[in-house]
């Protein structure tokens, strides 16, 4: 294969999105839509990947990843004008230039590879990826001559009534001979309804100069669905979401209710794990084998090991080790590490804390900035009082300690190994190992007090 560069157009504002943010960074299953186009081009084996940015360029550039070069299009004067901006960085480049619109995230590397082969086999100067759409509204139409050869592309806004009936559309993916492309761009004008320099006009220019223009028609047109407004954003996201779910199911993950499961592209899940309805798995999350996740969970940027169960809970930027259970209704906040075979029960919030193996925090507790050892038991209503209104402090609870219900541990405090904290205590000082700490006032019994009191009250009523 010839040397190949990809040129991805991502400078437009995307007016039809009605957004303050550039269109190409709107998210599809958690990633900016243009990131898919970048990744797909790289997977297709291009030697160089150039992204053209313009509208809020810095914002776009900072969100994109990979071995890419950015070229700025300071004024957005059309797709042809966008491609012109790459002339300098591709000066002297001889080979294929694959141009892709940044708003078609469903395009696959298989298609790009097949198209490259077709382009080279036929020695084209320009190859356009096309498809027949039942409803072609909004797309540029492919105008063919009597012999069926591509003559030009006409934009919807510039098309005649007859041309509007054409069902074959321009996908926004092209392969050009680099030199022919940049020569033709010099002849481009903006004499059209939108007053823009259309890349699509280059096809006719190349053709008129004796170049060979051909098409590569896709059978499955879902791949080239473009995103111009938020309805299309939802439609494309739905297709992408199903692709991700299907890949997971084929790799051995059970998805109970694919209609109601939202899993982002980078999420990894081990085999025999079951994902129940209403689950959202986001960012860089990995789930081990044989887990039960959901119903109704949100897990983000977290590592969940094998045989873990999480139900009706939120886990963010944390790690949960093998065999532990979380929820229902737990909230594991960033920088927490839950050990092996731990039980985190209902209405428990853990923040920036480490919880040792076999520890139980079964109900109604707040654990913040704490280090909890192994085989510890925190009773219902235990609160780690980590904040004094000014600073956060750390509490340490050693192995096998038992903290009774409704205890407050005023941080910083250290609870020694195997110690007991009496229920209802407010602990302000360290507790040595193997000790019982009681920090509450003694119970007082006043026999007959209610009867006496009632008489007093009743007497008052008769006055
Ligand atoms: C474009 C095609 C149309 C095709 C459709 C496929 C043109 C003139 N028309 O139309 O034939 O059917 O895509 O989806 O090319 N961009 C820039 N700089 C600009 C303008 C746009 O970088 O000055 C970028 C946008 O960010 C976007 C891409 O180019 O990623 C396409 O622009 P868009 O306005 O969406 O073009 P369409 O009207 O969809
Ligand atoms: Ca578009």
């Amino acid at each position: 294969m010839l040397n190949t560069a990809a040129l991805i157009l991502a400078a437009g504002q995307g007016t039809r999105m009605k957004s303050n943010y550039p269109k190409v960074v709107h998210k599809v299953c958690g990633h900016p839509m243009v990131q898919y186009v970048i990744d797909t081009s790289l997977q297709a084996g291009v030697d160089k990947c150039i992204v053209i940015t313009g509208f809020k360029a810095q914002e776009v550039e900072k969100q994109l990843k990979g071995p890419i070069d950015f070229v700025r299009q300071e004024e957005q004067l059309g797709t042809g004008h966008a491609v012109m901006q790459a002339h300098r960085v591709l000066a002297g480049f001889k080979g294929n230039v694959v141009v892709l619109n940044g708003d078609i995230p469903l395009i696959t590397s298989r298609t790009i590879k097949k198209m490259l082969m077709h382009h080279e086999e036929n020695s084209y100067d320009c190859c356009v990826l096309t498809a027949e759409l039942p409803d072609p509204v909004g797309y540029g139409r492919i105008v063919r001559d009597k012999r069926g050869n591509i003559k030009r592309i006409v934009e919807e806004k510039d098309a005649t009534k007859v041309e509007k009936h054409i069902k074959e559309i321009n996908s926004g993916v092209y392969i050009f001979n680099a030199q022919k492309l940049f020569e033709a761009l010099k002849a481009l004008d903006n004499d059209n309804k939108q007053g823009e320099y259309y890349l699509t006009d280059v096809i006719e220019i190349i053709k008129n100069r004796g170049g060979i223009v051909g098409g590569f028609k896709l059978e499955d047109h879902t791949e080239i669905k473009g995103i111009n407004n938020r309805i299309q954003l939802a439609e494309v996201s739905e297709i992408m979401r199903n692709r991700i779910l299907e890949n997971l199911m084929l790799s051995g993950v059970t998805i109970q209710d694919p209609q109601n499961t939202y899993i982002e592209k980078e999420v990894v899940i081990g085999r025999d794990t079951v994902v129940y309805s209403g689950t959202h798995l986001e960012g860089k999350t990995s789930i081990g084998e044989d887990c039960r996740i959901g119903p109704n969970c949100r897990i983000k940027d977290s590592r969940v090991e094998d045989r873990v169960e999480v139900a009706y809970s939120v886990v963010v930027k944390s790690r949960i080790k093998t065999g532990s259970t979380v929820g229902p209704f737990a909230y594991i906040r960033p920088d927490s590490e839950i050990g092996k075979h731990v039980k985190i029960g209902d209405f428990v919030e853990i923040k920036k804390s480490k919880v040792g193996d076999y520890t139980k925090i079964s109900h109604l507790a707040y654990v913040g900035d704490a280090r909890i050892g192994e085989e510890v038991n925190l009773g219902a209503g235990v609160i780690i009082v980590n904040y004094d209104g000014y600073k956060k402090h750390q509490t340490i609870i050693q192995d096998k300690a038992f903290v009774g219900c409704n205890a407050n541990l005023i941080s910083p405090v250290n609870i020694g190994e195997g110690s007991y904290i009496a229920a209802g205590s407010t602990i302000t000082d360290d507790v040595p190992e193997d000790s019982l700490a009681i920090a509450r006032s003694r119970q007082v019994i006043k026999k007959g007090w209610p009867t006496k009191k009632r008489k007093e009250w009743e007497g008052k009523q008769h006055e």
Side-chain angles (χ1 to χ4, degrees):
M1 201 168 77
L2 286 171
N3 236 343
T4 301
L7 210 61
I8 297 167
L9 309 187
Q13 176 179 357
T15 358
R16 289 164 279 182
M17 292 297 279
K18 306 270 160 62
S19 174
N20 295 329
Y21 307 101
K23 174 174 79 175
V24 292
V25 292
H26 275 262
K27 299 220 164 81
V28 169
C29 298
H31 292 272
M33 64 175 85
V34 60
Q35 186 69 51
Y36 291 92
V37 184
I38 294 170
D39 294 348
T40 300
S41 309
L42 292 166
Q43 271 164 29
V46 302
D47 305 290
K48 199 175 174 55
C49 185
I50 300 160
V51 181
I52 314 283
T53 58
F55 179 75
K56 301 202 174 168
Q58 269 185 335
E59 214 173 292
V60 174
E61 288 166 12
K62 121 176 151 236
Q63 292 192 51
L64 302 183
K65 291 179 278 189
I68 47 182
D69 293 320
F70 292 109
V71 169
R72 294 275 177 99
Q73 182 195 18
E74 298 298 348
E75 260 186 301
Q76 289 80 57
L77 304 178
T79 47
H81 181 258
V83 173
M84 282 178 205
Q85 311 310 307
H87 193 188
R88 206 170 24 87
V89 287
L90 286 176
F93 177 81
K94 290 193 186 72
N96 302 317
V97 179
V98 187
V99 178
L100 303 112
N101 286 355
D103 61 356
I104 46 165
L106 293 169
I107 189 82
T108 65
S109 57
R110 197 165 147 252
T111 294
I112 298 175
K113 278 189 208 157
K114 276 181 17 195
M115 193 180 161
L116 273 163
M117 266 160 57
H118 183 76
H119 177 80
E120 290 196 359
E121 275 164 19
N122 291 285
S123 309
Y124 287 155
D125 295 303
C126 169
C127 181
V128 186
L129 183 66
T130 77
E132 302 256 350
L133 294 193
D135 177 17
V137 173
Y139 290 92
R141 310 293 208 283
I142 305 291
V143 182
R144 291 184 182 260
D145 63 20
K146 284 199 189 75
R147 279 180 296 170
N149 294 323
I150 296 181
K151 230 166 83 184
R152 59 191 183 93
I153 298 174
V154 62
E155 288 307 294
E156 166 101 20
K157 288 197 172 113
D158 304 293
T160 62
K161 253 195 168 149
V162 177
E163 286 168 338
K164 277 187 184 146
H165 280 109
I166 301 173
K167 296 260 189 285
E168 191 183 8
I169 61 101
N170 165 30
S171 69
V173 180
Y174 324 76
I175 302 171
F176 293 98
N177 165 302
Q179 283 172 318
K180 293 267 166 76
L181 169 66
F182 291 109
E183 273 165 32
L185 281 168
K186 287 182 196 151
L188 206 58
D189 64 31
N190 62 353
D191 185 14
N192 53 53
K193 280 270 164 60
Q194 304 189 77
E196 288 184 2
Y197 294 90
Y198 291 163
L199 176 62
T200 45
D201 286 349
V202 155
I203 278 88
E204 200 179 4
I205 299 171
I206 292 178
K207 179 118 190 172
N208 289 344
R209 291 178 174 185
I212 313 170
V213 174
F216 185 73
K217 207 192 257 183
L218 262 187
E219 293 305 323
D220 173 16
H221 57 75
T222 48
E223 259 191 51
I224 47 124
K225 233 175 142 40
I227 300 176
N228 294 316
N229 58 40
R230 301 208 193 215
I231 296 172
Q232 291 166 331
L233 177 68
E235 288 167 354
V236 167
S237 298
E238 177 70 5
I239 297 169
M240 190 65 84
R241 194 169 67 83
N242 282 321
R243 265 194 202 169
I244 295 170
L245 293 176
E246 278 166 21
N247 281 336
L248 286 167
M249 290 187 270
L250 291 174
S251 74
V253 178
T254 296
I255 310 279
Q256 183 201 31
D257 181 4
Q259 304 272 10
N260 282 302
T261 304
Y262 301 82
I263 301 181
E264 291 181 3
K265 191 178 152 225
E266 283 179 44
V267 173
V268 179
I269 308 181
R271 54 166 66 192
D272 293 317
T273 282
V274 182
V275 179
Y276 293 101
S277 180
T279 294
H280 299 244
L281 304 177
E282 302 168 12
K284 279 202 183 321
T285 289
S286 71
I287 311 279
E289 297 190 351
D290 259 316
C291 294
R292 301 284 173 269
I293 308 295
N296 296 338
C297 284
R298 176 171 179 246
I299 303 180
K300 186 179 181 195
D301 295 325
S302 294
R303 179 170 158 199
V304 173
E305 296 180 0
D306 299 340
R307 294 182 296 286
V308 167
E309 294 186 17
V310 186
Y312 299 97
S313 294
V314 176
V315 180
V316 183
K317 254 186 95 187
S318 291
R319 178 173 174 193
I320 301 169
K321 295 192 186 168
T322 305
S324 290
T325 64
V326 173
F329 316 115
Y331 184 14
I332 313 285
R333 291 170 52 194
D335 303 319
S336 296
E337 187 184 302
I338 313 297
K340 294 180 190 161
H341 306 283
V342 167
K343 180 180 178 194
I344 306 289
D346 54 286
F347 305 105
V348 172
E349 177 176 336
I350 312 269
K351 184 220 114 183
K352 206 178 178 181
S353 295
K354 202 173 161 180
V355 178
D357 301 347
Y358 297 97
T359 283
K360 288 194 170 88
I361 310 174
S362 301
H363 9 238
L364 301 155
Y366 173 66
V367 174
D369 303 297
R371 260 179 41 217
I372 301 177
E374 298 181 5
E375 293 178 62
V376 167
N377 188 88
L378 300 195
V382 168
I383 305 289
I384 310 256
V385 186
N386 61 325
Y387 186 47
D388 57 11
Y390 177 64
K391 261 178 103 174
K392 304 276 162 67
H393 302 278
Q394 202 192 41
T395 272
I396 297 172
I397 304 175
Q398 310 281 2
D399 297 348
K400 295 192 167 81
F402 183 100
V403 182
C405 290
N406 252 341
N408 297 311
L409 307 183
I410 314 283
S411 306
V413 79
N414 189 332
I415 312 297
E417 189 174 335
S419 283
Y420 267 67
I421 307 296
S425 293
T426 293
I427 300 294
T428 52
D429 301 311
D430 288 354
V431 176
E433 60 171 5
D434 195 24
S435 317
L436 168 66
I438 310 175
R440 64 186 185 215
S441 51
R442 276 197 172 274
Q443 183 170 318
V444 179
I445 302 283
K446 296 192 174 178
K447 204 138 181 26
W449 184 93
T451 307
K452 206 177 108 202
K453 211 66 192 166
R454 279 185 208 114
K455 274 189 186 145
E456 257 179 60
W457 292 334
E458 279 160 17
K460 272 198 180 131
Q461 270 178 12
H462 295 302
E463 274 172 14

